[in-house]
Amino acid sequence: MRAARLIKMVLLLQARASMTAAELARELEVSERTITRDAQALSEAGVPVYADRGRTGGYRLVGGYRTRLTGLARSEAEALFLSGVPGALREMGLEDTASAARLKVSAALLPSVRDASRTAAQRFHLDAPAWFSEPRTPELLPSVADAVWDDRPVLARYRRGGSEVERTLEPYGLVLKAGLWYLCARVADADAFRVYRIDRFTAVALGGERFRRDDGFDLPAFWEERAEEFARSVLRSEVVVRLSPEGVRQLPYALDPVSAKEGLGTSGVPDGRGWVTLTLPVESQEVARVQLRGLGPEVEVLAPAALRERCAEDAAGSAALYR
């Protein structure tokens, strides 16, 4: 533990011209007294750490000293590619690994570009969770992430309906979608790829030997295909509507993108006012009623009759409120 901290301290001083004891203590999560002892240990080991006294003093490396301990480990290199998703790294238990990787990269850069990571972080940030929801980190996510990195099978128990099911899975990849974590895995006894929500796992036991990955598996392509299949699977009903030109423009914001795209593909020729008639695939009539309500006077429901009647009642109620 101490050896790793000493290496990290050298890399910090190599990446920056000078650092105070308080700054080093904050970065390394130790006390300033520990920093003093570590600096002395490094000096005794031949690393030229020099302490400048005074209010503006600090620690620095003398004579352009550079360590060769900047080679990236495989796990550090993999984590570095995820460093733009700090929340995801933290939830998977990879925050320290990514921090070490960034330090090594900084130490290997020329002084003139060592602030690249800071300037990039001030210009680009990924906020993955959805609005108006409090994301919760699944308790078993770090264990599943370890299995994904190491290509190790897992014996997983997960909730399905009102019961629990046990499966041996070969975990291929993790996906963070709107604040929810999903595992894309191959079911060992079915030789089929499936998607599982991590927060539904109740137990995960890692296997000993690694499984052989299918080199043809493409995680982004697989996820895109399954996500579209899921979206289509819940669109079990249809409604016929008329839309104004403004309604056509707003439709993708009111409905699921798959529903809006397929519906607009069925639109007929615009009438004299520019209105078009189209058939929308929807989850249910009640869901369609709520979604189409957001389009207000830019949409008219034609069928089914029951939904048209309900929408007319909603419109009459809204009109009464504003009289």
Side-chain angles (χ1 to χ4, degrees):
M1 180 69 177
R2 190 190 185 198
R5 188 176 71 241
L6 292 174
I7 292 173
K8 191 171 182 179
M9 182 174 176
V10 173
L11 290 173
L12 282 167
L13 294 175
Q14 183 171 312
R16 308 177 193 180
S18 175
M19 295 184 69
T20 65
E23 290 171 336
L24 285 167
R26 187 164 52 251
E27 288 278 356
L28 300 175
E29 299 181 349
V30 295
S31 66
E32 293 186 34
R33 186 182 296 272
T34 299
I35 294 298
T36 301
R37 290 197 297 265
D38 285 353
Q40 183 177 352
L42 287 170
S43 182
E44 292 173 355
V47 179
V49 177
Y50 182 77
D52 292 315
R53 305 296 179 182
R55 295 181 61 183
T56 59
Y59 292 93
R60 59 187 175 87
L61 295 176
V62 179
Y65 176 85
R66 296 184 66 81
T67 177
R68 294 184 179 180
L69 297 174
T70 54
L72 287 177
R74 180 178 180 84
S75 61
E76 293 169 342
E78 291 170 332
L80 188 61
F81 284 104
L82 292 173
S83 60
V85 197
L89 283 169
R90 184 170 54 253
E91 292 179 8
M92 288 190 291
L94 295 173
E95 190 172 28
D96 290 341
T97 302
S99 175
R102 286 192 293 268
L103 271 176
K104 289 183 178 183
V105 170
S106 296
L109 294 174
L110 293 173
S112 60
V113 293
R114 280 183 188 158
D115 66 341
S117 61
R118 181 184 62 81
T119 55
Q122 294 302 319
R123 288 164 173 79
F124 301 99
H125 176 69
L126 176 62
D127 184 9
W131 288 104
F132 313 118
S133 63
E134 185 66 29
R136 296 182 180 179
T137 303
E139 182 179 347
L140 296 174
L141 176 60
S143 297
V144 176
D146 287 343
V148 170
W149 287 120
D150 293 339
D151 293 339
R152 294 173 62 188
V154 297
L155 181 62
R157 291 187 62 83
Y158 63 96
R159 295 186 300 274
R160 188 171 69 180
S163 61
E164 288 194 357
V165 180
E166 188 173 84
R167 291 283 187 273
T168 298
L169 306 175
E170 295 177 354
Y172 268 65
L174 291 168
V175 175
L176 177 60
K177 169 71 172 178
L180 294 176
W181 284 95
Y182 296 87
L183 172 67
C184 301
R186 180 164 57 188
V187 183
D189 57 359
D191 193 27
F193 286 96
R194 293 175 185 166
V195 177
Y196 300 86
R197 269 181 57 166
I198 305 278
D199 60 1
R200 292 179 181 168
F201 284 1
T202 59
V204 171
L206 274 66
E209 296 185 2
R210 295 181 174 179
F211 64 88
R212 184 180 181 85
R213 289 180 67 94
D214 180 354
D215 293 334
F217 179 79
D218 184 331
L219 179 60
F222 172 79
W223 175 258
E224 182 178 1
E225 178 183 345
R226 289 305 170 92
E228 187 168 337
E229 285 180 2
F230 173 77
R232 293 177 186 276
S233 70
V234 299
L235 302 178
R236 301 186 180 95
S237 298
E238 288 185 346
V239 299
V240 181
V241 300
R242 289 178 66 240
L243 288 173
S244 70
E246 179 62 16
V248 170
R249 190 187 69 81
Q250 294 183 14
L251 188 65
Y253 303 102
L255 271 66
D256 177 85
V258 173
S259 175
K261 180 180 179 182
E262 293 197 2
L264 290 172
T266 69
S267 62
V269 179
D271 62 17
R273 297 170 53 205
W275 287 59
V276 295
T277 299
L278 50 87
T279 301
L280 291 171
V282 294
E283 184 174 345
S284 67
Q285 290 188 33
E286 188 58 33
V287 171
R289 175 191 173 203
V290 174
Q291 292 174 328
L292 294 173
R293 188 186 298 161
L295 295 177
E298 309 302 331
V299 61
E300 178 189 1
V301 175
L302 302 179
L307 178 60
R308 177 180 174 86
E309 183 177 344
R310 294 292 301 277
C311 291
E313 292 172 357
D314 291 341
S318 296
L321 286 176
Y322 288 97
R323 285 196 185 120

